Amino acid sequence: MRRFSRSASAAAALLAAAISGAPAAAGESLALVGATVIDVADGGRSPHDLEDAVVLVEDGTITAVGPRAAVAIPADAMRLDVRGEFIVPGLTDGFAAINNQAYANAYLASGVTSIIAVSGGRRGRLFTGADPGPHLRVLEAVGERRGSLEEHLEATEALAARGVAVVLLMYKLTPEQLPALVRRAEELGMGTIGELGFASYSDGIAAGVDAFVHTTRYSLSMAPPEMIRAVAAEPFSDDLKSPKWRYYLWLSQLSPYDERLVAHARLLASGSTALMPTLSLLYLDLPWSENPWQEPVARRLDPADINNPADPATGRHHATPTHQAAYTALARSVSLLEETYRRAGARYLAGSGTDVWGTMPGISLHHELEGLVRIGHTPREALAAATSNFAATFANWGRVGQVRPGYRADLLVLRRDPRLDVAHLKSVGTVILAGEILTPQSPLPTLTPSLPGEGTPPPTLRSPEGGSG
């Protein structure tokens, strides 16, 4: 473990080290000097950036933020010269798996300092031993099976007792059960995300669910009633003749001018519930997608760990023409739906859905942010969806997601301006995780994806479904 050093040579050695770090020793502080601090308040609509700023950090907390001339830097502080760079809060992935240390490294190297951690089924077991690793808020589900209200309340209370931070309210819950479950989750200090079926999304808004996840799922209420019931009864399948795919094909044919879509968009924008579209789940099915294995962060990952990984040589799934046409049509439809929801005034959170359907830790959150810009958000608004919007959505989230005094010191120092292009969020030079300096460019064990014919069989189209996404 490394302590902050007051000497320039020690600081240089620290910044050349592998991803690791330590908080300042008692009484020491860190000063980031000379960068532009990007304001992400008010959903990314607040333009109060600070140029040539100083950010002071002590004991894992931001203690001061202001112009260089207005902030007194303690004489014993470790100074980090970040002139010409940009400081933003660390990113949150609102729906993601972490299975091993390589995933943790990829998240941090991508600037992801927090995740709402999803596990089970295709996403595998939750890995909690990362060192270093992003902050985890564990999510688990209630309502995957039919049950009485008392049974679902007991399940929710059991999750809270185990430290689960967010409860995923699922398809089998009824409209009558939903309000009591949301109230109990709030009493227990838990957030709520809805992936509903028998209860409608209108029911979810009325009950006060904090967020909905997956465009394809929170668009279900537009479908014919018999189709909704069939999907709620059997929400997961990859058979194109299954209820899920019959609905997806129906959704792919829905006109962006359909009155049902316009009305549903108004509904989704009418309450305080945020949307987490997980656009990145269909990123590989878009014609303009790029090979994710070409991202530098991907060298930290093993294709064998990813559910249905893209072919490392092509960046595509090995799909039959029929399946690929269905997925591409759905991907295009999802973008059009979200354009309508955004124009209606819906609020957004960023979540990648990692690691199913070829999504990858860290990398896919950046695909998600690019997708949010594609549907009409500004780069700053997309950044807010991965930072400040979480505290604005979930009660008891804490003072995180902004560069302000009193907030946890999860910070990114970027080499390029993210206000100009959301892809510049990938230009991470330094990560500060609760006051610890980490350097994502540093040498770590890397993995070179095997190309077909080099010992790795081509990935299958999709593995059997199970669980959210």
Side-chain angles (χ1 to χ4, degrees):
M1 300 291 282
R2 297 175 176 84
R3 295 290 182 186
F4 288 149
S5 168
R6 299 183 184 87
S7 72
S9 59
L14 175 65
L15 293 174
I19 285 189
S20 61
E28 286 188 318
S29 57
L30 168 67
L32 304 174
V33 182
T36 297
V37 174
I38 306 298
D39 183 11
V40 295
D42 190 27
R45 291 178 291 274
S46 179
H48 302 300
D49 304 328
L50 284 173
E51 296 183 355
D52 193 24
V54 171
V55 178
L56 293 183
V57 174
E58 187 169 351
D59 294 330
T61 300
I62 300 168
T63 57
V65 181
R68 188 198 299 251
V71 177
I73 300 174
D76 64 348
M78 174 187 170
R79 293 179 179 238
L80 197 60
D81 186 346
V82 289
R83 285 175 293 180
E85 299 185 290
F86 304 87
I87 296 175
V88 299
L91 306 179
T92 294
D93 190 329
F95 208 84
I98 181 167
N99 301 146
N100 50 48
Q101 185 63 49
Y103 276 33
N105 293 343
Y107 281 123
L108 293 174
S110 302
V112 180
T113 56
S114 296
I115 67 172
I116 295 180
V118 188
S119 61
R122 297 166 296 165
R123 290 185 174 88
R125 297 180 63 181
L126 174 65
F127 176 68
T128 60
D131 184 18
H135 305 288
L136 305 182
R137 297 180 193 258
V138 177
L139 173 147
E140 291 196 23
V142 169
E144 293 175 291
R145 297 176 179 81
R146 286 185 178 272
S148 68
L149 175 59
E150 291 71 22
E151 289 170 329
H152 293 317
L153 288 170
E154 288 176 6
T156 302
E157 290 162 359
L159 294 181
R162 287 173 30 218
V164 171
V166 182
V167 59
L168 182 64
L169 302 169
M170 294 289 279
Y171 298 90
K172 302 302 192 288
L173 299 175
T174 67
E176 297 76 21
Q177 293 170 337
L178 205 55
L181 286 166
V182 172
R183 284 195 302 272
R184 188 61 182 133
E186 290 176 350
E187 292 166 357
L188 294 167
M190 304 169 77
T192 53
I193 295 177
E195 187 174 345
L196 305 174
F198 288 117
S200 72
Y201 285 90
S202 177
D203 296 326
I205 290 170
V209 176
D210 292 322
F212 298 144
V213 68
H214 308 313
T215 308
T216 52
R217 302 310 193 167
Y218 55 73
S219 300
L220 178 61
S221 295
M222 291 187 289
E226 66 277 9
M227 185 175 284
I228 295 174
R229 290 192 293 270
V231 173
E234 187 186 342
F236 302 111
S237 174
D238 226 20
D239 185 341
L240 294 182
K241 296 181 180 179
S242 68
K244 184 192 88 169
W245 263 104
R246 289 183 186 276
Y247 157 62
Y248 281 3
L249 294 171
W250 176 89
L251 195 64
S252 299
Q253 297 167 7
L254 189 68
S255 166
Y257 306 105
D258 193 294
E259 291 182 359
R260 289 168 293 188
L261 173 56
V262 174
H264 192 60
R266 291 196 191 106
L267 169 71
L268 293 176
S270 66
S272 60
T273 305
L275 305 183
M276 195 184 305
T278 58
L279 301 164
S280 50
L281 288 171
L282 292 165
Y283 172 79
L284 295 174
D285 300 301
L286 292 167
W288 57 78
S289 66
E290 298 180 353
N291 188 342
W293 292 106
Q294 297 301 315
E295 294 284 347
V297 172
R299 290 177 294 171
R300 305 171 189 272
L301 299 169
D302 186 341
D305 290 335
I306 306 295
N307 173 270
N308 287 310
D311 185 322
T314 66
R316 301 289 178 184
H317 285 123
H318 288 268
T320 66
T322 301
H323 271 86
Q324 190 56 67
Y327 274 101
T328 297
L330 182 62
R332 291 181 181 275
S333 174
V334 161
S335 293
L336 291 173
L337 293 173
E338 289 298 348
E339 288 179 18
T340 304
Y341 299 156
R342 185 204 61 80
R343 285 197 303 269
R347 298 187 305 113
Y348 281 82
L349 299 174
S352 69
T354 297
D355 67 346
V356 301
W357 293 15
T359 47
M360 298 163 67
I363 294 167
S364 290
L365 183 64
H366 289 282
H367 294 159
E368 187 71 16
L369 297 175
E370 292 166 11
L372 290 178
V373 170
R374 192 171 291 115
I375 66 169
H377 290 91
T378 67
R380 190 195 297 267
E381 289 170 339
L383 173 57
T387 54
S388 61
N389 286 7
F390 281 90
T393 299
F394 296 104
N396 303 318
W397 197 254
R399 294 171 70 82
V400 295
Q402 296 195 56
V403 186
R404 291 189 174 186
Y407 279 62
R408 189 171 66 201
D410 295 336
L411 304 169
L412 308 181
V413 180
L414 306 175
R415 294 184 295 272
R416 305 179 72 185
D417 189 346
R419 298 168 297 184
L420 303 179
D421 188 337
V422 74
H424 292 173
L425 287 170
K426 294 189 283 189
S427 66
V428 179
T430 301
V431 178
I432 297 174
L433 182 70
E436 298 185 18
I437 295 181
L438 312 177
T439 53
Q441 305 143 280
S442 329
L444 278 176
T446 59
L447 293 158
T448 302
S450 299
L451 301 180
E454 296 183 347
T456 300
T460 57
L461 171 63
R462 305 278 190 254
S463 64
E465 295 223 24
S468 177

